[in-house]
Amino acid sequence: MQKEVLPELRMSDPPEDMDTHTLEALIQLLLAQSQECFWKKAVMDGTYKDAIIARLAARVSDLYSTAGDAAMKSEAISSSWIHHMSAKHHHFAGAAQYRAACDCLEKKKYGEEVARLTDAVQCVNEGLKEARGGYVSKTIIEDLNGLKRKVEEDLKRAEKDNDLIYMDPVPPKPELKLLDRADMAKMTVPPQVANPFDYFGDQAEFGPALFSKLVPFAVHAAITIYEQRRDRLVNQNIIQNLEDLTERLHTMLSSINLPGSLQALEKPLGLPPSLVQHAEEIRQADAIGRIQRAFSDIDKLRSADIAVFDEGKSMLAAEEEEDARRRAKFGTDRWTRPDSRSDPRGAQLWAQVAEIDGYFASSTSSDEVVRDKFGQTQDLLELLSASDRVLMDHVPSSRRMDIAEPLKPVIGRLRGAYNDVLRLESRRRKKVEALRDKCRNDDIKPEILKEAARLERTYPTTAIAPAHFEDFFERRLDKLYEPELEAVEKEDAEQERMMTEIERVNREFESQRKSSIGGNREREQALQRLDNAYYKYKEIVNHLDVGRKFYNDLSKVVGQNFRDPVKVWVSERRIDAKSLEEELSMPPLGSLSMNRTPVASPPVSSYQAEQQQHANSYFGSNAGPAANTHAQRPHQQVHSPPAEAHVQSWAGSTVEPQQPHPVPPVSNMWTPDMGIRFGGPAGGHGAAAPAPNPPGPRQASGGTWDPNSGIRFG
């Protein structure tokens, strides 16, 4: 993956789990585990020397150390794996030193034995430190503890023996010789991975590829288009033309009473072999039951299609009625959206309704034609389905008579021409069957996948669409089926030649044939009717198969292509109509006012009314517009007093609010009732003397001026 896959992907920024450090850590980890398997096998066998096991363990420790260093630089590897690799590194470093110490004991290097055992204890202690955070599994911890106990026991024994007996100097760790490595794990790519396509196939080791049949959607759609086009070409342009030729041939033979006229002369007694063969075929096929079951199936399919079509059509009619009702309610000026038949999608759906109605009308007439054909031949088919004895009773026998010599060669030529027709018809049936097998075996997928790959290489920036395969379709159809189309034209020409020859020989036969006596003519007609009934049965079965296929295809047209789009469109129209109806039902904006409701003026109290009346009586005759203005201004500035609430006392009685009492006028404030006085206070400088009172009655108030007396000076 690191050297082959990633360079092919050409990713400048690979994902975290595929970067260089992560892949390197995984590589070294897998190598370490493989090397550990070799070490485990060497330990369990018990036949390997300690030096070899030490070399294997040292290599395992190196690989785990390298894997841990790479994992530290990776962002995809968790810390638990890093602690696991570190613990394994120290574990196998201690195991390697322990095995090397055992080898030193065997070689009587007692001082080096003590040094290596001491280093092994240190390595095991470092490994146990990695287990403090709970990142290392219990199995590894148990292995470390077991190794520690074994090493400490041997170290205690080695130090005691060396101190008391051998007294060999213990070298420091830097002076110890590095252990050799035995590298057993190698990086090799299996051939199944390096060349996987060599192992895929129907007969290969791995069998067919898992997603070999998975193709892009555009290719899948193109395959479907090709198959539909191929089936239409084969069924309509080849097979249907051949069947039309055969039907025309049978019509011509029936018009000249062939083969009944020949069978009546050649076999005047019993049943002709061809008639016996046809009757046996009809009996085995259960002809009448088969036709009736086919009619029943077609009726069910047609009823189901009509039900689906009526459902979609009723939804369209209901939507049209709802739209018309709302249009009548709101008027055409306000209900401005187009009706269902004017809407683009609605017009398309209504056009589809007319088109499908045409399908049903034509299919109904075709069904009636087929039923009429069956009704006309049902009696004869029942006769052919009966036993041979019933057939012999139905077909009259004629006496054997001698055929005139001039008639014998004509009969031979007519029989030869009719046999040529039978061979042509048999060859044609085999050709139709072979053509249908060819269609079933026409697998375009391998070729179209190659074509899709070529298009991707040629146009790498263009998305593949089914239209890109049009030229490929034309080439393939021309290559495979153009010879068949040419063969149809040859068949037509050959049939015309045969029909011309048969008509010529039959005219000669009719002119040479003597008038027969007895039931010869009746036998000829009976045989001809039975032969025609057999071919009518073949024709009816063919029409029923076509009708069944037609209604199966029509179910998709009325369901997926008509009813389902109608449901979606009607739902959208109803949502739109509801929204428009709510909008039109809202009150018009002109009825809304932005002004506030004017506050009613408070009622004027009796005191204020009295004061206003006095002011009006005084200024009413002499005051001008200015006086009116001054009189109205205080009224405009009157504010309503705040609302007074009844106060509920603690004793439960309601305390009525106190009404304000009118304030008596101040003595030095002039009011209209006071009149006008002239003269200042007594003792004032420059004050004018009071005017003498005029003769006559005096006012009660003495110094009060009467407005009726006028103003006097002096």
Side-chain angles (χ1 to χ4, degrees):
M1 180 179 291
Q2 189 179 27
K3 297 180 180 179
E4 300 292 339
V5 177
L6 282 181
E8 289 292 332
L9 294 178
R10 301 174 184 176
M11 291 188 298
S12 59
D13 187 16
E16 295 179 354
D17 56 349
M18 295 181 67
D19 60 0
T20 304
H21 301 298
T22 303
L23 293 179
E24 182 64 25
L26 293 176
I27 291 172
Q28 298 301 323
L29 176 62
L30 295 176
L31 288 174
Q33 292 173 346
S34 301
Q35 182 77 14
E36 184 178 355
C37 292
F38 283 100
W39 170 85
K40 188 71 174 178
K41 184 177 184 302
V43 172
M44 293 177 65
D45 287 347
T47 58
Y48 292 91
K49 295 182 178 180
D50 291 326
I52 296 176
I53 298 176
R55 293 165 62 186
L56 291 172
R59 180 56 181 166
V60 175
S61 177
D62 293 343
L63 291 173
Y64 274 117
S65 176
T66 307
D69 294 341
M72 291 289 291
K73 302 176 183 178
S74 172
E75 297 181 359
I77 299 178
S78 61
S79 58
S80 60
W81 274 105
I82 296 175
H83 285 283
H84 171 82
M85 297 174 195
S86 180
K88 282 283 190 178
H89 159 62
H90 294 298
H91 177 201
F92 281 96
Q97 292 293 353
Y98 171 72
R99 288 291 179 172
C102 294
D103 183 66
C104 291
L105 177 62
E106 184 179 354
K107 295 179 179 180
K108 299 180 180 181
K109 298 179 180 179
Y110 304 110
E112 185 177 351
E113 177 192 7
V114 173
R116 292 193 180 277
L117 289 174
T118 303
D119 187 53
V121 171
Q122 294 177 357
C123 292
V124 172
N125 289 332
E126 291 294 328
L128 289 174
K129 290 180 181 179
E130 298 292 336
R132 292 177 181 176
Y135 296 104
V136 182
S137 64
K138 294 182 179 179
T139 304
I140 297 176
I141 296 175
E142 291 175 359
D143 292 342
L144 286 169
N145 288 325
L147 179 61
K148 181 180 180 181
R149 289 192 296 270
K150 180 64 176 174
V151 171
E152 287 178 346
E153 291 176 1
D154 288 357
L155 177 60
K156 184 177 180 181
R157 187 246 336 137
E159 287 179 343
K160 181 179 179 180
D161 291 346
N162 189 49
D163 292 342
L164 297 178
I165 302 174
Y166 307 113
M167 292 181 290
D168 194 7
V170 178
K173 182 177 180 179
E175 295 181 3
L176 292 176
K177 180 183 177 182
L178 293 178
L179 298 177
D180 295 333
R181 267 62 173 169
D183 193 1
M184 303 300 296
K186 303 291 183 180
M187 287 190 298
T188 57
V189 180
Q192 293 85 352
V193 178
N195 301 306
F197 294 104
D198 297 341
Y199 296 86
F200 287 117
D202 295 335
Q203 305 298 329
E205 180 180 355
F206 294 157
L210 183 60
F211 300 107
S212 59
K213 296 183 179 181
L214 184 64
V215 296
F217 178 75
V219 177
H220 179 73
I223 292 174
T224 304
I225 293 173
Y226 171 79
E227 291 176 350
Q228 293 176 353
R229 192 173 300 179
R230 177 201 63 199
D231 294 342
R232 185 167 57 250
L233 173 66
V234 171
N235 293 328
Q236 296 181 3
N237 297 352
I238 301 178
I239 296 179
Q240 186 62 41
N241 290 341
L242 292 176
E243 291 177 352
D244 292 342
L245 291 176
T246 303
E247 185 176 356
R248 191 173 66 184
L249 181 61
H250 289 160
T251 303
M252 187 272 297
L253 293 176
S254 177
S255 64
I256 60 177
N257 290 329
L258 280 179
S261 58
L262 279 177
Q263 292 173 349
L265 286 176
E266 294 174 347
K267 193 173 180 59
L269 299 176
L271 298 176
S274 61
L275 180 60
V276 175
Q277 182 181 357
H278 293 166
E280 185 64 26
E281 181 180 349
I282 287 179
R283 293 191 199 103
Q284 292 180 357
D286 188 17
I288 297 178
R290 177 183 179 183
I291 292 175
Q292 290 176 347
R293 287 192 298 270
F295 277 130
S296 177
D297 294 341
I298 288 176
D299 290 339
K300 291 179 182 178
L301 292 173
R302 186 173 183 274
S303 299
D305 293 346
I306 290 176
V308 174
F309 175 61
D310 289 342
E311 181 183 356
K313 192 163 60 172
S314 63
M315 286 189 290
L316 280 179
E319 195 282 329
E320 186 178 25
E321 182 181 356
E322 293 172 2
D323 184 77
R325 186 170 60 252
R326 290 188 175 96
R327 193 178 304 277
K329 176 181 178 181
F330 294 101
T332 56
D333 293 339
R334 301 179 66 192
W335 194 264
T336 56
R337 75 166 188 169
D339 57 8
S340 61
R341 296 182 185 268
S342 301
D343 185 80
R345 290 181 60 190
Q348 182 180 1
L349 293 173
W350 279 109
Q352 203 169 355
V353 168
E355 182 181 359
I356 296 175
D357 279 332
Y359 291 159
F360 280 114
S362 62
S363 64
T364 302
S365 61
S366 300
D367 293 345
E368 292 299 327
V369 170
V370 177
R371 291 180 185 275
D372 291 341
K373 288 183 179 180
F374 175 66
Q376 294 171 4
T377 58
Q378 184 175 3
D379 295 339
L380 295 175
L381 290 177
E382 291 177 354
L383 189 61
L384 287 172
S385 301
S387 61
D388 291 343
R389 171 56 61 184
V390 176
L391 282 175
M392 292 179 65
D393 294 341
H394 175 75
V395 178
S397 299
S398 62
R399 63 181 180 85
R400 184 178 298 276
M401 63 179 182
D402 296 333
I403 301 175
E405 291 298 329
L407 187 58
K408 289 182 179 180
V410 178
I411 293 176
R413 289 195 297 271
L414 185 59
R415 169 56 67 180
Y418 182 73
N419 289 337
D420 291 340
V421 170
L422 294 180
R423 283 192 292 269
L424 174 65
E425 186 179 354
S426 176
R427 185 173 69 248
R428 190 172 291 170
R429 284 196 299 268
K430 293 179 181 178
K431 180 180 292 186
V432 169
E433 293 298 328
L435 192 58
R436 286 174 176 165
D437 292 339
K438 183 178 180 180
C439 288
R440 285 192 292 267
N441 297 327
D442 183 12
D443 187 10
I444 194 179
K445 187 176 294 183
E447 298 296 330
I448 203 171
L449 288 177
K450 294 180 182 178
E451 180 68 13
R454 186 190 68 80
L455 291 174
E456 288 180 348
R457 291 192 302 269
T458 307
Y459 309 102
T461 60
T462 304
I464 296 179
H468 296 160
F469 298 93
E470 289 295 332
D471 295 338
F472 173 73
F473 292 162
E474 294 295 333
R475 292 194 303 269
R476 185 176 179 86
L477 291 175
D478 291 343
K479 177 182 177 182
L480 294 179
Y481 302 104
E482 187 64 27
E484 303 295 339
L485 291 172
E486 296 176 356
V488 172
E489 298 178 358
K490 294 180 181 179
E491 288 272 344
D492 190 6
E494 184 178 1
Q495 179 171 311
E496 288 294 334
R497 182 185 60 79
M498 287 186 177
M499 291 172 62
T500 303
E501 179 66 17
I502 286 179
E503 289 176 347
R504 185 188 64 80
V505 176
N506 186 70
R507 286 194 299 269
E508 185 179 356
F509 170 74
E510 291 293 339
S511 63
Q512 293 291 335
R513 188 174 60 169
K514 303 293 183 180
S515 59
S516 60
I517 60 175
N520 193 21
R521 178 65 63 177
E522 295 176 359
R523 178 178 176 82
E524 176 184 340
Q525 293 176 355
L527 293 175
Q528 188 62 40
R529 285 196 302 270
L530 292 174
D531 190 74
N532 292 340
Y534 170 76
Y535 288 108
K536 285 290 183 182
Y537 160 73
K538 289 289 188 180
E539 182 181 348
I540 290 171
V541 169
N542 183 33
H543 289 326
L544 291 175
D545 292 339
V546 173
R548 188 184 291 110
K549 184 177 184 302
F550 169 79
Y551 284 114
N552 283 325
D553 296 340
L554 189 61
S555 64
K556 181 179 180 181
V557 174
V558 299
Q560 298 179 6
N561 299 343
F562 175 69
R563 183 193 59 182
D564 296 345
V566 165
K567 283 184 178 179
V568 176
W569 181 75
V570 168
S571 177
E572 293 175 356
R573 289 272 294 183
R574 285 175 176 169
I575 294 174
D576 181 59
K578 184 178 180 181
S579 175
L580 183 58
E581 186 176 8
E582 291 177 354
E583 180 180 351
L584 295 177
S585 299
M586 293 177 62
L589 295 178
S591 64
L592 302 178
S593 177
M594 300 299 294
N595 298 328
R596 294 183 179 178
T597 304
V599 181
S601 300
V604 182
S605 62
S606 59
Y607 173 75
Q608 292 174 346
E610 182 181 357
Q611 295 296 326
Q612 185 70 23
Q613 183 178 5
H614 284 292
N616 292 339
S617 64
Y618 177 74
F619 293 103
S621 59
N622 300 325
N628 293 335
T629 304
H630 289 288
Q632 293 174 2
R633 188 174 300 163
H635 176 69
Q636 293 176 358
Q637 294 178 355
V638 173
H639 298 282
S640 61
E644 298 174 352
H646 296 280
V647 180
Q648 185 76 21
S649 67
W650 62 271
S653 61
T654 302
V655 180
E656 295 292 336
Q658 297 180 358
Q659 297 293 334
H661 298 284
V663 181
V666 185
S667 60
N668 59 356
M669 180 180 295
W670 179 86
T671 62
D673 298 331
M674 295 171 60
I676 299 176
R677 294 179 181 179
F678 296 94
H685 297 283
N693 294 329
R698 299 178 61 90
Q699 298 291 335
S701 58
T704 304
W705 174 77
D706 186 4
N708 297 326
S709 62
I711 301 176
R712 297 178 181 179
F713 298 95

